[in-house]
Amino acid sequence: MILMNDIVREGHPVLRKVAEEVSFPLTDDEKKLCEEILQYIINSQDDVLCELYDLRPGIGLAAPQVNVSKRIFALHIEEEDKEPLSIVAINPKIISHSVEKTYLTSGEGCLSVDRDVEGFVPRYSRITIKAFDVDGKEFKLRLKGLPAIAFQHELDHLNGVMFYDHIDPKEPFKEIPGAVPFERE
Ligand code: K2U
Ligand code: NI
């Protein structure tokens, strides 16, 4: 079971590496990793387990965050009145995106960053992605809202990018031209 002390924190070089593509069939270790990163975010959304194991809640987790520099991440997002999204994405790619941008009005956080970094993080409002599942089957999804933001946050982790790299250092809350703000309830 992944716990917070398995999650590397900013300053660790693995978070600034471009992660390696994965080949199929996955090794048993890679399959176990996929299960464990998805299980972490599911566990982290359970109040009892959060308390019991001192977990930080998350909706995504990327392999580099547990010190494995491979192009794998998991998302588990359940929002009221919306389709739940629970995926492991392997060798993920954004194949098209809206011109329109969005940003979380609350700003972003990261399980690998133990501090608040304020500011708007521009993201594409809508994205079409493709990735492979653990069996090597390719899938495509069209994402918007929080799933789209989370996907871009996790894909950044596979490219050595941290969310605060996107924040304007001089004017962190500068209006992003044409962007549609996303309010999390
Ligand atoms: O990659 C990670 O560190 C997990 C991130 C993912 C994330 C950050 C910002 C925006 C979307 C996804 C977070 O710790 S997950 C915490 C969280 C929960 C709900 C909404 C936003 C962030
Ligand atoms: Ni993160």
Side-chain angles (χ1 to χ4, degrees):
M1 170 187 188
I2 291 176
L3 298 169
M4 283 309 290
N5 57 17
D6 298 310
I7 295 177
V8 300
R9 308 302 156 91
E10 63 179 324
H12 192 298
V14 73
L15 292 174
R16 287 304 189 181
K17 284 176 68 177
V18 176
E20 294 291 317
E21 289 231 324
V22 174
S23 56
F24 292 96
L26 297 187
T27 63
D28 289 346
D29 280 354
E30 287 166 338
K31 280 187 185 149
K32 185 164 178 283
L33 172 73
C34 292
E35 285 160 21
E36 289 193 322
I37 57 174
L38 179 59
Q39 195 56 53
Y40 174 85
I41 42 185
I42 293 169
N43 292 345
S44 79
Q45 294 174 29
D46 175 310
D47 294 345
V48 172
L49 294 176
C50 254
E51 185 73 28
L52 197 59
Y53 295 109
D54 192 22
L55 305 180
R56 242 187 91 184
I59 53 173
L61 187 64
Q65 293 181 276
V66 290
N67 203 12
V68 176
S69 194
K70 292 184 179 179
R71 302 189 77 79
I72 300 170
F73 64 68
L75 294 175
H76 186 82
I77 306 173
E78 292 176 309
E79 295 173 283
E80 237 169 274
D81 312 325
K82 291 183 184 170
E83 276 289 293
L85 178 70
S86 190
I87 56 167
V88 173
I90 300 170
N91 300 340
K93 287 188 169 73
I94 294 174
I95 54 177
S96 68
H97 60 76
S98 59
V99 170
E100 183 187 287
K101 298 244 173 111
T102 187
Y103 59 91
L104 267 178
T105 51
S106 59
E108 294 190 11
C110 181
L111 296 175
S112 296
V113 179
D114 293 329
R115 61 191 172 103
D116 286 336
V117 183
E118 298 199 326
F120 295 149
V121 180
R123 300 290 186 186
Y124 298 120
S125 290
R126 292 173 299 283
I127 55 176
T128 302
I129 69 94
K130 73 174 181 179
F132 294 88
D133 66 15
V134 290
D135 301 316
K137 188 172 183 308
E138 186 178 81
F139 63 93
K140 288 186 181 175
L141 290 173
R142 296 178 65 194
L143 302 174
K144 61 182 179 182
L146 189 55
I149 293 170
F151 190 98
Q152 293 169 79
H153 179 109
E154 300 310 328
L155 187 58
D156 271 353
H157 276 306
L158 306 189
N159 294 320
V161 174
M162 301 294 280
F163 73 91
Y164 46 71
D165 298 344
H166 299 286
I167 297 174
D168 184 313
K170 290 194 199 67
E171 269 191 271
F173 294 102
K174 182 178 75 172
E175 201 205 330
I176 300 159
V180 175
F182 184 87
E183 307 262 351
R184 266 200 82 218
E185 44 287 344

